């Protein structure tokens, strides 16, 4: 039903290599800045800018597939804050048409800290991609026999092993319970048989 409703925007985006390449960059986390689109799509700055405008404001009354979700900047980052674009339902449908089987999820942000965290994940991912590394974001990794799992912010696949990265942009008192719970699950993962497939040293990036 949704696919029928969005058939016109699917056809419109599929007819443009630039729109298609830019939208595919959102498959990783559901958000992107223009610079991140440039890295992942290999589009020039002008091409990426035009593509983002076309995805956010398509012609002929077609539904937008992305929207501006805010502006972000990491601590010490030079220049102006960057606009963050996030995927909309129409964009999710189009991506699933472009890449069947790809687990595309709509991003959910409870506050500005969530948005900044997702942006930081994408910055690390794009840096790795630019270096030719294989990575994944928000990977769900099961362990044990009771349906236990962890969700790793970043996983780097290297030398037949997984290297796990956790990103903490804020570690205030109100966040401690969540951080302690996640670290406890990580310890359980590393102590399990499945944990042997990951390097034993966990990389934690604070306020990148």
């Amino acid at each position: 039903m949704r696919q029928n409703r969005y058939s016109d925007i699917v056809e419109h985006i599929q007819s443009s290599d630039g729109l298609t390449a830019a939208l595919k960059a959102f498959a990783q986390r559901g958000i992107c800045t223009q610079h991140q689109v440039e890295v992942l799509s290999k589009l020039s700055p002008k091409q990426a800018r035009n593509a983002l405008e076309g995805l956010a404001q398509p012609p002929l009354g077609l539904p937008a597939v992305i929207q501006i979700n805010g502006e972000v900047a990491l601590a010490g980052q030079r220049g102006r804050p960057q606009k963050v674009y996030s995927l909309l339902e129409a964009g999710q449908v189009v991506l699933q048409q472009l890449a069947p089987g790809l687990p595309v999820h709509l991003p959910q942000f409870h506050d500005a800290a969530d948005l900044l965290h997702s942006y930081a994940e994408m910055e690390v991912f794009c840096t790795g991609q630019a270096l030719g590394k294989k990575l994944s974001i928000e990977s769900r990794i099961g362990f044990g026999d009771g349906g236990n799992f962890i969700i790793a912010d970043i996983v780097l696949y290297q030398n037949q092993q997984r290297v796990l990265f956790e990103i903490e942009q804020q570690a205030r008192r109100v966040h401690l319970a969540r951080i302690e719970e996640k670290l406890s699950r990580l310890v359980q993962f590393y102590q399990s048989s499945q944990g042997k497939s990951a390097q034993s040293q966990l990389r934690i990036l604070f306020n990148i």
Side-chain angles (χ1 to χ4, degrees):
M1 181 67 70
R2 290 195 311 164
Q3 293 170 343
N4 292 334
R5 180 159 41 119
Y6 294 128
S7 58
D8 288 342
I9 187 64
V10 170
E11 183 178 346
H12 171 67
I13 291 176
Q14 285 180 324
S15 69
S16 166
D17 291 341
L19 294 177
T20 298
L23 185 60
K24 283 184 176 180
F26 287 82
Q28 301 300 331
R29 188 64 179 81
I31 73 161
C32 270
T33 63
Q34 179 182 319
H35 175 69
Q36 291 165 353
V37 168
E38 293 167 19
V39 172
L40 297 177
S41 68
K42 310 300 184 185
L43 294 174
S44 69
K46 182 178 180 180
Q47 290 172 326
R49 181 172 62 253
N50 290 341
L52 288 170
E53 291 176 355
L55 295 172
Q57 297 179 321
L60 305 175
L62 295 173
V65 296
I66 62 172
Q67 66 179 0
I68 297 175
N69 212 281
E71 294 186 341
V72 295
L74 299 178
Q77 197 170 46
R78 296 182 178 181
R80 298 178 180 177
Q82 298 188 59
K83 291 180 182 178
V84 175
Y85 297 82
S86 62
L87 197 65
L88 295 172
E89 181 182 285
Q92 181 185 37
V93 173
V94 176
L95 272 175
Q96 290 169 337
Q97 291 282 312
L98 295 174
L102 190 68
V104 181
H105 303 289
L106 294 177
Q108 296 182 350
F109 308 116
H110 298 100
D111 52 32
D114 280 350
L115 181 63
L116 185 62
H117 179 80
S118 298
Y119 167 68
E121 287 180 330
M122 282 298 294
E123 285 290 273
V124 175
F125 180 83
C126 288
T127 298
Q129 286 286 294
L131 295 173
K133 304 296 184 180
K134 182 181 178 182
L135 306 96
S136 61
I137 298 179
E138 297 281 326
S139 294
R140 178 171 173 146
I141 305 173
F143 68 92
D145 300 321
N148 294 317
F149 65 90
I150 59 170
I151 297 180
D153 288 342
I154 298 286
V155 177
L156 168 65
Y157 301 91
Q158 181 173 274
N159 299 327
Q160 297 183 334
Q161 278 197 318
R162 292 178 290 195
V163 183
L164 274 55
F165 290 80
E166 289 299 310
I167 298 173
E168 286 296 340
Q169 291 304 104
Q170 295 181 345
R172 299 174 181 172
R173 182 171 296 180
V174 296
H175 304 125
L176 291 182
R178 173 185 58 78
I179 294 172
E180 289 175 355
E181 191 274 338
K182 188 163 190 178
L183 287 175
S184 175
R185 294 177 74 84
L186 283 165
V187 170
Q188 294 174 45
F189 165 73
Y190 279 114
Q191 291 175 340
S192 71
S193 59
Q194 291 84 352
K196 294 178 182 178
S197 66
Q199 285 191 9
S200 58
Q201 292 183 330
L202 172 69
R203 277 71 169 174
I204 301 180
L205 309 178
F206 286 106
N207 195 26
I208 62 172

Coordinates of all heavy atoms in Angstrom, one line a residue, residues 27-116:
A27 N 20.9 5.4 4.1 CA 20.6 4.1 4.5 C 21.4 3.7 5.7 O 20.9 2.8 6.5 CB 21.0 3.1 3.3
Q28 N 22.5 4.3 6.0 CA 23.4 3.9 7.1 C 22.7 4.2 8.5 O 22.7 3.4 9.4 CB 24.7 4.5 7.0 CG 25.5 4.2 5.8 CD 25.8 2.7 5.6 OE1 25.9 2.0 6.6 NE2 25.8 2.2 4.4
R29 N 22.2 5.4 8.6 CA 21.7 5.8 9.9 C 20.4 6.7 9.9 O 19.9 7.0 10.9 CB 22.8 6.7 10.6 CG 22.6 7.0 12.1 CD 22.5 5.8 12.9 NE 22.3 6.1 14.3 CZ 21.1 6.3 14.9 NH1 20.0 6.4 14.2 NH2 21.0 6.6 16.2
G30 N 20.0 7.0 8.6 CA 18.8 7.8 8.5 C 19.0 9.2 8.6 O 18.1 10.0 8.5
I31 N 20.3 9.7 8.8 CA 20.6 11.1 8.8 C 21.9 11.3 8.0 O 22.7 10.4 7.9 CB 20.8 11.6 10.2 CG1 22.1 11.1 10.8 CG2 19.6 11.3 11.1 CD1 22.6 11.9 12.0
C32 N 22.1 12.5 7.5 CA 23.3 12.9 6.9 C 23.4 14.4 6.8 O 22.4 15.2 6.8 CB 23.3 12.4 5.4 SG 24.0 10.8 5.1
T33 N 24.6 14.9 6.8 CA 24.9 16.3 6.5 C 25.3 16.3 5.0 O 25.6 15.3 4.4 CB 26.1 16.9 7.3 OG1 27.3 16.1 7.0 CG2 25.8 16.8 8.8
Q34 N 25.5 17.5 4.4 CA 25.9 17.6 3.0 C 27.3 16.9 2.9 O 27.5 16.2 1.9 CB 25.9 19.0 2.5 CG 26.4 19.1 1.1 CD 26.5 20.5 0.6 OE1 25.6 21.3 0.9 NE2 27.6 20.9 -0.2
H35 N 28.2 17.2 3.8 CA 29.5 16.7 3.7 C 29.5 15.2 3.8 O 30.3 14.5 3.0 CB 30.4 17.2 4.8 CG 31.8 16.6 4.9 ND1 32.7 16.9 3.9 CD2 32.4 15.8 5.7 CE1 33.8 16.2 4.2 NE2 33.6 15.5 5.3
Q36 N 28.7 14.6 4.6 CA 28.6 13.1 4.7 C 28.1 12.5 3.5 O 28.5 11.5 3.0 CB 27.8 12.8 6.0 CG 28.5 13.1 7.3 CD 27.5 13.1 8.5 OE1 26.3 12.9 8.3 NE2 28.1 13.3 9.7
V37 N 27.1 13.2 2.8 CA 26.6 12.7 1.5 C 27.7 12.8 0.5 O 27.8 11.8 -0.3 CB 25.4 13.6 1.1 CG1 25.0 13.3 -0.4 CG2 24.2 13.4 2.0
E38 N 28.5 13.8 0.5 CA 29.6 13.9 -0.4 C 30.6 12.7 -0.3 O 31.0 12.1 -1.3 CB 30.4 15.2 -0.2 CG 29.6 16.5 -0.6 CD 30.3 17.7 -0.1 OE1 31.5 17.7 0.2 OE2 29.6 18.8 0.0
V39 N 30.9 12.4 1.0 CA 31.8 11.3 1.2 C 31.3 9.9 0.8 O 31.9 9.2 0.1 CB 32.2 11.2 2.7 CG1 33.0 9.9 3.0 CG2 33.0 12.4 3.2
L40 N 30.0 9.7 1.1 CA 29.4 8.4 0.8 C 28.9 8.2 -0.6 O 28.9 7.1 -1.1 CB 28.2 8.1 1.8 CG 28.6 8.1 3.3 CD1 27.3 7.9 4.1 CD2 29.6 7.0 3.6
S41 N 28.6 9.3 -1.3 CA 28.0 9.2 -2.6 C 29.0 9.5 -3.7 O 28.8 9.3 -4.9 CB 26.8 10.2 -2.8 OG 27.3 11.5 -2.7
K42 N 30.2 10.2 -3.3 CA 31.2 10.6 -4.3 C 30.7 11.8 -5.1 O 31.3 12.1 -6.2 CB 31.7 9.5 -5.2 CG 32.1 8.2 -4.4 CD 33.2 8.5 -3.4 CE 33.7 7.2 -2.8 NZ 34.7 7.4 -1.7
L43 N 29.6 12.4 -4.7 CA 29.1 13.6 -5.4 C 29.9 14.8 -5.1 O 30.5 14.9 -4.0 CB 27.6 13.9 -5.1 CG 26.6 12.8 -5.5 CD1 25.2 13.2 -4.9 CD2 26.5 12.7 -7.0
S44 N 30.0 15.8 -6.0 CA 30.7 17.0 -5.7 C 29.9 17.8 -4.7 O 28.7 17.6 -4.6 CB 30.9 17.8 -7.0 OG 29.7 18.3 -7.5
P45 N 30.5 18.9 -4.1 CA 29.7 19.7 -3.2 C 28.4 20.3 -3.8 O 27.3 20.3 -3.3 CB 30.7 20.8 -2.7 CG 32.0 20.1 -2.8 CD 31.9 19.2 -4.0
K46 N 28.6 20.8 -5.1 CA 27.4 21.3 -5.8 C 26.4 20.3 -6.1 O 25.2 20.5 -5.9 CB 27.9 22.0 -7.1 CG 26.7 22.7 -7.8 CD 27.2 23.4 -9.1 CE 26.1 24.0 -9.9 NZ 26.5 24.7 -11.1
Q47 N 26.8 19.1 -6.5 CA 25.9 18.0 -6.8 C 25.2 17.6 -5.6 O 24.0 17.3 -5.6 CB 26.7 16.8 -7.5 CG 27.2 17.1 -8.9 CD 28.1 16.0 -9.4 OE1 28.8 15.4 -8.6 NE2 28.0 15.7 -10.7
A48 N 25.9 17.4 -4.5 CA 25.3 17.0 -3.2 C 24.3 18.0 -2.7 O 23.2 17.7 -2.3 CB 26.4 16.8 -2.2
R49 N 24.6 19.3 -2.8 CA 23.7 20.4 -2.4 C 22.5 20.4 -3.2 O 21.3 20.4 -2.7 CB 24.4 21.7 -2.5 CG 23.5 22.9 -2.0 CD 24.3 24.2 -2.0 NE 24.9 24.6 -3.3 CZ 26.1 24.5 -3.6 NH1 27.0 24.0 -2.8 NH2 26.5 24.9 -4.8
N50 N 22.6 20.2 -4.5 CA 21.4 20.2 -5.4 C 20.6 19.0 -5.1 O 19.3 19.1 -5.1 CB 21.8 20.3 -6.8 CG 22.4 21.6 -7.2 OD1 22.2 22.6 -6.6 ND2 23.2 21.6 -8.3
A51 N 21.2 17.9 -4.9 CA 20.5 16.6 -4.6 C 19.7 16.7 -3.3 O 18.5 16.3 -3.3 CB 21.4 15.4 -4.6
L52 N 20.3 17.3 -2.3 CA 19.6 17.4 -1.0 C 18.4 18.3 -1.1 O 17.4 18.1 -0.6 CB 20.6 17.9 0.1 CG 21.6 16.9 0.5 CD1 22.7 17.5 1.4 CD2 21.0 15.7 1.3
E53 N 18.6 19.4 -1.9 CA 17.5 20.3 -2.1 C 16.4 19.6 -2.8 O 15.2 19.8 -2.5 CB 17.9 21.5 -2.9 CG 18.9 22.5 -2.1 CD 19.4 23.6 -2.9 OE1 19.1 23.7 -4.1 OE2 20.1 24.5 -2.3
G54 N 16.7 18.8 -3.8 CA 15.7 18.1 -4.6 C 15.0 17.0 -3.8 O 13.8 16.7 -4.1
L55 N 15.7 16.4 -2.8 CA 15.1 15.4 -2.0 C 14.2 16.0 -1.0 O 13.1 15.4 -0.6 CB 16.1 14.5 -1.3 CG 17.0 13.6 -2.3 CD1 18.1 13.0 -1.5 CD2 16.2 12.6 -3.0
A56 N 14.5 17.2 -0.5 CA 13.8 17.9 0.6 C 12.6 18.6 0.0 O 11.6 18.8 0.6 CB 14.6 18.8 1.4
Q57 N 12.7 19.1 -1.3 CA 11.7 19.8 -1.9 C 11.5 19.4 -3.4 O 11.9 20.1 -4.3 CB 12.0 21.3 -1.9 CG 12.1 21.9 -0.5 CD 12.4 23.4 -0.5 OE1 13.3 23.9 -1.3 NE2 11.8 24.2 0.4
P58 N 11.0 18.2 -3.6 CA 10.8 17.6 -4.9 C 9.7 18.4 -5.7 O 8.9 19.1 -5.1 CB 10.4 16.2 -4.7 CG 9.8 16.2 -3.3 CD 10.5 17.2 -2.5
P59 N 9.8 18.4 -7.0 CA 8.8 19.1 -7.8 C 7.4 18.5 -7.9 O 7.2 17.3 -7.5 CB 9.5 19.2 -9.2 CG 10.2 17.9 -9.2 CD 10.7 17.6 -7.8
L60 N 6.5 19.2 -8.5 CA 5.2 18.7 -8.9 C 4.4 18.1 -7.8 O 3.6 17.1 -8.0 CB 5.4 17.6 -10.0 CG 6.2 18.0 -11.2 CD1 6.4 16.9 -12.2 CD2 5.5 19.2 -12.0
G61 N 4.6 18.7 -6.6 CA 3.8 18.2 -5.5 C 4.1 16.8 -4.9 O 3.4 16.2 -4.1
L62 N 5.3 16.3 -5.3 CA 5.7 15.0 -4.8 C 6.1 15.1 -3.3 O 6.6 16.2 -2.9 CB 6.9 14.5 -5.6 CG 6.6 14.2 -7.1 CD1 7.9 13.8 -7.8 CD2 5.7 13.0 -7.2
P63 N 6.0 14.1 -2.6 CA 6.3 14.1 -1.1 C 7.8 14.2 -0.9 O 8.6 13.6 -1.6 CB 5.8 12.8 -0.6 CG 5.8 11.9 -1.7 CD 5.5 12.7 -2.9
A64 N 8.2 15.0 0.1 CA 9.6 15.1 0.5 C 10.1 13.7 1.0 O 9.3 13.0 1.7 CB 9.8 16.2 1.5
V65 N 11.3 13.4 0.8 CA 11.9 12.1 1.3 C 12.8 12.4 2.5 O 13.2 11.4 3.2 CB 12.5 11.3 0.2 CG1 11.5 10.9 -0.8 CG2 13.7 12.0 -0.4
I66 N 13.3 13.6 2.6 CA 14.2 14.0 3.7 C 13.7 15.3 4.2 O 13.0 16.1 3.6 CB 15.7 14.0 3.4 CG1 15.9 15.1 2.3 CG2 16.2 12.7 2.9 CD1 17.4 15.4 2.0
Q67 N 14.1 15.7 5.4 CA 13.8 17.0 6.0 C 15.0 17.5 6.8 O 15.8 16.7 7.3 CB 12.6 17.0 6.9 CG 12.8 16.2 8.2 CD 11.6 16.2 9.1 OE1 10.6 16.8 8.7 NE2 11.7 15.5 10.2
I68 N 15.1 18.8 7.0 CA 16.2 19.4 7.8 C 15.7 19.2 9.3 O 14.6 19.5 9.7 CB 16.4 20.9 7.6 CG1 16.9 21.1 6.1 CG2 17.4 21.5 8.6 CD1 17.0 22.5 5.7
N69 N 16.6 18.6 10.1 CA 16.3 18.2 11.5 C 16.9 19.1 12.5 O 16.7 19.0 13.7 CB 16.6 16.8 11.7 CG 15.7 16.1 12.7 OD1 15.8 16.3 13.9 ND2 14.8 15.3 12.2
G70 N 17.8 20.0 12.0 CA 18.5 20.8 13.0 C 19.9 21.1 12.5 O 20.3 20.7 11.4
E71 N 20.7 21.8 13.3 CA 22.1 22.1 13.0 C 23.0 21.5 14.2 O 22.6 21.6 15.4 CB 22.4 23.6 12.8 CG 21.7 24.1 11.6 CD 22.0 25.6 11.4 OE1 22.5 26.2 12.3 OE2 21.8 26.1 10.2
V72 N 24.1 21.0 13.9 CA 25.0 20.4 14.9 C 26.5 20.8 14.6 O 26.8 21.1 13.5 CB 24.9 18.9 14.9 CG1 23.5 18.5 15.4 CG2 25.3 18.3 13.6
A73 N 27.3 20.8 15.7 CA 28.7 21.0 15.6 C 29.3 20.2 16.7 O 28.8 20.3 17.9 CB 29.1 22.4 15.6
L74 N 30.4 19.5 16.5 CA 31.2 18.9 17.5 C 32.1 19.9 18.3 O 32.4 20.9 17.7 CB 32.0 17.7 17.0 CG 31.3 16.6 16.2 CD1 32.2 15.6 15.7 CD2 30.3 16.0 17.2
A75 N 32.4 19.6 19.5 CA 33.2 20.4 20.3 C 34.5 20.7 19.6 O 35.2 19.8 19.1 CB 33.5 19.8 21.7
G76 N 34.9 22.0 19.4 CA 36.1 22.3 18.8 C 36.1 22.3 17.3 O 37.1 22.6 16.6
Q77 N 35.0 21.9 16.7 CA 34.9 21.9 15.2 C 34.8 23.3 14.6 O 34.0 24.1 15.1 CB 33.6 21.1 14.8 CG 33.6 20.6 13.4 CD 32.5 19.6 13.2 OE1 31.3 19.9 13.6 NE2 32.8 18.5 12.5
R78 N 35.6 23.5 13.6 CA 35.7 24.9 13.0 C 34.5 25.1 12.0 O 34.0 24.1 11.5 CB 37.0 25.1 12.3 CG 38.2 25.1 13.3 CD 39.5 25.3 12.5 NE 40.6 25.4 13.4 CZ 41.9 25.6 13.0 NH1 42.1 25.8 11.7 NH2 42.9 25.6 13.9
G79 N 34.2 26.3 11.8 CA 33.2 26.6 10.8 C 31.8 26.7 11.4 O 31.6 26.5 12.6
R80 N 30.9 26.9 10.5 CA 29.5 27.0 10.9 C 28.9 25.6 11.3 O 29.4 24.6 10.8 CB 28.6 27.6 9.8 CG 29.0 29.0 9.4 CD 28.1 29.4 8.2 NE 28.4 30.8 7.8 CZ 27.9 31.4 6.8 NH1 26.9 30.7 6.1 NH2 28.2 32.6 6.5
P81 N 27.9 25.6 12.2 CA 27.2 24.3 12.4 C 26.7 23.8 11.1 O 26.3 24.5 10.2 CB 26.1 24.7 13.4 CG 26.6 25.9 14.1 CD 27.4 26.7 13.0
Q82 N 26.6 22.4 11.0 CA 26.1 21.8 9.8 C 24.7 21.4 9.9 O 24.2 21.0 10.9 CB 27.0 20.6 9.5 CG 28.4 20.9 9.2 CD 29.2 19.6 8.8 OE1 28.9 19.0 7.7 NE2 30.2 19.2 9.5
K83 N 23.9 21.6 8.8 CA 22.6 21.2 8.7 C 22.5 19.6 8.7 O 23.3 19.0 7.9 CB 21.9 21.7 7.5 CG 21.6 23.2 7.5 CD 20.9 23.7 6.2 CE 20.7 25.2 6.2 NZ 20.1 25.6 5.0
V84 N 21.6 19.1 9.5 CA 21.4 17.6 9.5 C 20.1 17.3 8.9 O 19.1 17.9 9.3 CB 21.5 17.1 10.9 CG1 21.1 15.6 10.9 CG2 22.8 17.3 11.6
Y85 N 20.1 16.5 7.8 CA 18.9 16.1 7.2 C 18.6 14.7 7.7 O 19.4 13.8 7.9 CB 19.1 16.0 5.6 CG 19.4 17.3 5.0 CD1 20.7 17.8 5.0 CD2 18.4 18.1 4.4 CE1 21.0 19.1 4.4 CE2 18.7 19.3 3.7 CZ 20.0 19.8 3.8 OH 20.3 21.0 3.2
S86 N 17.3 14.4 7.9 CA 16.8 13.1 8.3 C 15.8 12.5 7.4 O 15.1 13.2 6.7 CB 16.2 13.2 9.7 OG 15.1 14.0 9.7
L87 N 15.8 11.2 7.3 CA 15.0 10.4 6.4 C 13.5 10.5 6.9 O 13.2 10.4 8.1 CB 15.4 9.0 6.4 CG 15.0 8.1 5.3 CD1 15.6 8.6 3.9 CD2 15.5 6.7 5.5
L88 N 12.6 10.7 5.9 CA 11.2 10.6 6.1 C 10.6 9.3 5.6 O 11.3 8.5 5.0 CB 10.5 11.8 5.4 CG 10.8 13.2 6.0 CD1 10.2 14.2 5.0 CD2 10.3 13.4 7.4
E89 N 9.3 9.0 5.9 CA 8.7 7.7 5.5 C 8.8 7.5 4.0 O 9.1 6.4 3.6 CB 7.2 7.7 5.9 CG 6.6 6.4 5.6 CD 5.1 6.4 6.0 OE1 4.8 6.2 7.2 OE2 4.3 6.5 5.0
A90 N 8.6 8.5 3.2 CA 8.7 8.4 1.8 C 10.1 8.0 1.4 O 10.3 7.2 0.5 CB 8.3 9.7 1.1
G91 N 11.1 8.5 2.1 CA 12.5 8.2 1.8 C 12.8 6.7 2.1 O 13.5 6.0 1.4
Q92 N 12.2 6.3 3.2 CA 12.4 4.9 3.6 C 11.8 3.9 2.6 O 12.5 2.9 2.2 CB 11.7 4.6 5.0 CG 11.8 3.2 5.5 CD 11.0 3.0 6.7 OE1 9.9 3.5 6.9 NE2 11.5 2.2 7.7
V93 N 10.6 4.3 2.0 CA 10.0 3.4 1.0 C 10.9 3.4 -0.3 O 11.1 2.4 -0.9 CB 8.6 3.9 0.7 CG1 8.0 3.2 -0.5 CG2 7.7 3.8 1.9
V94 N 11.4 4.6 -0.7 CA 12.2 4.7 -1.9 C 13.5 3.9 -1.7 O 13.9 3.1 -2.6 CB 12.5 6.1 -2.2 CG1 13.4 6.2 -3.4 CG2 11.2 6.9 -2.5
L95 N 14.1 4.0 -0.5 CA 15.4 3.3 -0.3 C 15.1 1.8 -0.3 O 15.9 1.0 -0.9 CB 15.9 3.7 1.1 CG 16.9 4.9 1.1 CD1 17.3 5.2 2.5 CD2 18.1 4.6 0.2
Q96 N 14.0 1.3 0.2 CA 13.7 -0.1 0.2 C 13.4 -0.6 -1.3 O 13.7 -1.8 -1.6 CB 12.5 -0.4 1.1 CG 12.8 -0.3 2.5 CD 11.6 -0.3 3.5 OE1 10.5 0.0 3.0 NE2 11.8 -0.6 4.7
Q97 N 13.0 0.3 -2.1 CA 12.8 0.0 -3.5 C 14.2 -0.1 -4.2 O 14.5 -0.9 -5.1 CB 11.9 1.0 -4.2 CG 10.5 1.0 -3.8 CD 9.7 -0.2 -4.5 OE1 9.8 -0.4 -5.7 NE2 9.0 -0.9 -3.7
L98 N 15.1 0.9 -3.9 CA 16.4 1.0 -4.5 C 17.3 -0.2 -4.1 O 18.1 -0.6 -4.8 CB 17.0 2.3 -4.2 CG 16.4 3.6 -4.7 CD1 17.1 4.8 -4.2 CD2 16.4 3.6 -6.2
A99 N 17.2 -0.6 -2.8 CA 18.0 -1.6 -2.3 C 17.2 -2.6 -1.5 O 17.1 -2.6 -0.3 CB 19.1 -1.0 -1.4
P100 N 16.5 -3.5 -2.2 CA 15.6 -4.5 -1.5 C 16.4 -5.3 -0.5 O 17.5 -5.8 -0.7 CB 15.1 -5.4 -2.6 CG 15.2 -4.5 -3.8 CD 16.4 -3.7 -3.6
G101 N 15.8 -5.5 0.7 CA 16.5 -6.3 1.8 C 17.3 -5.5 2.7 O 17.7 -5.9 3.7
L102 N 17.6 -4.2 2.3 CA 18.4 -3.3 3.2 C 17.6 -2.9 4.4 O 16.5 -2.4 4.2 CB 18.9 -2.1 2.4 CG 19.9 -1.2 3.1 CD1 21.3 -2.0 3.2 CD2 20.1 0.0 2.3
P103 N 18.0 -3.1 5.6 CA 17.3 -2.7 6.8 C 17.3 -1.2 7.0 O 18.2 -0.7 7.8 CB 18.0 -3.5 7.9 CG 19.4 -3.6 7.5 CD 19.3 -3.8 6.0
V104 N 16.4 -0.5 6.4 CA 16.4 1.0 6.5 C 15.4 1.4 7.6 O 14.2 1.0 7.6 CB 16.0 1.6 5.2 CG1 16.0 3.1 5.3 CG2 16.9 1.2 4.0
H105 N 15.9 2.1 8.6 CA 15.1 2.5 9.7 C 15.0 4.1 9.8 O 15.9 4.8 9.5 CB 15.6 2.0 11.0 CG 15.8 0.5 11.1 ND1 14.7 -0.3 11.1 CD2 16.9 -0.3 11.0 CE1 15.2 -1.6 11.1 NE2 16.5 -1.6 11.1
L106 N 13.8 4.5 10.1 CA 13.6 6.0 10.3 C 14.3 6.4 11.6 O 14.1 5.7 12.7 CB 12.1 6.3 10.4 CG 11.4 6.1 9.1 CD1 9.9 6.5 9.3 CD2 11.9 7.0 8.0
P107 N 15.1 7.5 11.6 CA 15.8 7.9 12.9 C 14.7 8.5 13.8 O 13.7 9.1 13.5 CB 16.7 9.0 12.4 CG 16.0 9.5 11.1 CD 15.3 8.4 10.5
Q108 N 15.0 8.2 15.1 CA 14.2 8.8 16.2 C 15.1 9.6 17.2 O 16.0 9.0 17.7 CB 13.5 7.7 16.9 CG 12.5 6.9 16.1 CD 11.7 5.8 16.8 OE1 12.1 5.5 18.0 NE2 10.7 5.2 16.2
F109 N 14.7 10.8 17.4 CA 15.5 11.7 18.3 C 14.6 12.2 19.4 O 13.5 12.8 19.1 CB 16.1 12.9 17.5 CG 16.8 12.5 16.3 CD1 16.4 12.9 15.0 CD2 18.0 11.7 16.4 CE1 17.1 12.5 13.9 CE2 18.7 11.3 15.2 CZ 18.2 11.7 14.0
H110 N 15.0 11.9 20.6 CA 14.2 12.4 21.8 C 14.6 13.9 22.1 O 13.8 14.6 22.7 CB 14.4 11.5 23.0 CG 13.9 10.1 22.7 ND1 14.8 9.1 22.4 CD2 12.7 9.6 22.8 CE1 14.1 8.0 22.3 NE2 12.8 8.2 22.5
D111 N 15.9 14.2 21.8 CA 16.3 15.5 22.1 C 17.6 15.9 21.3 O 18.0 15.1 20.4 CB 16.6 15.7 23.6 CG 17.6 14.6 24.1 OD1 18.4 14.1 23.3 OD2 17.5 14.2 25.3
A112 N 18.1 17.1 21.5 CA 19.3 17.5 20.7 C 20.5 16.6 21.0 O 21.3 16.4 20.1 CB 19.7 18.9 21.1
A113 N 20.6 16.0 22.2 CA 21.7 15.1 22.5 C 21.7 13.8 21.6 O 22.7 13.3 21.1 CB 21.7 14.7 23.9
D114 N 20.5 13.3 21.3 CA 20.3 12.2 20.4 C 20.8 12.5 19.0 O 21.4 11.7 18.3 CB 18.8 11.7 20.4 CG 18.4 10.9 21.6 OD1 19.3 10.5 22.4 OD2 17.2 10.6 21.7
L115 N 20.4 13.7 18.6 CA 20.8 14.1 17.2 C 22.3 14.3 17.1 O 22.9 13.8 16.1 CB 20.1 15.5 16.9 CG 20.4 16.1 15.5 CD1 19.9 15.1 14.4 CD2 19.8 17.4 15.4
L116 N 22.9 14.8 18.1 CA 24.4 15.0 18.1 C 25.1 13.7 18.2 O 26.1 13.5 17.5 CB 24.8 15.9 19.3 CG 26.3 16.2 19.4 CD1 26.7 17.1 18.2 CD2 26.6 17.0 20.7

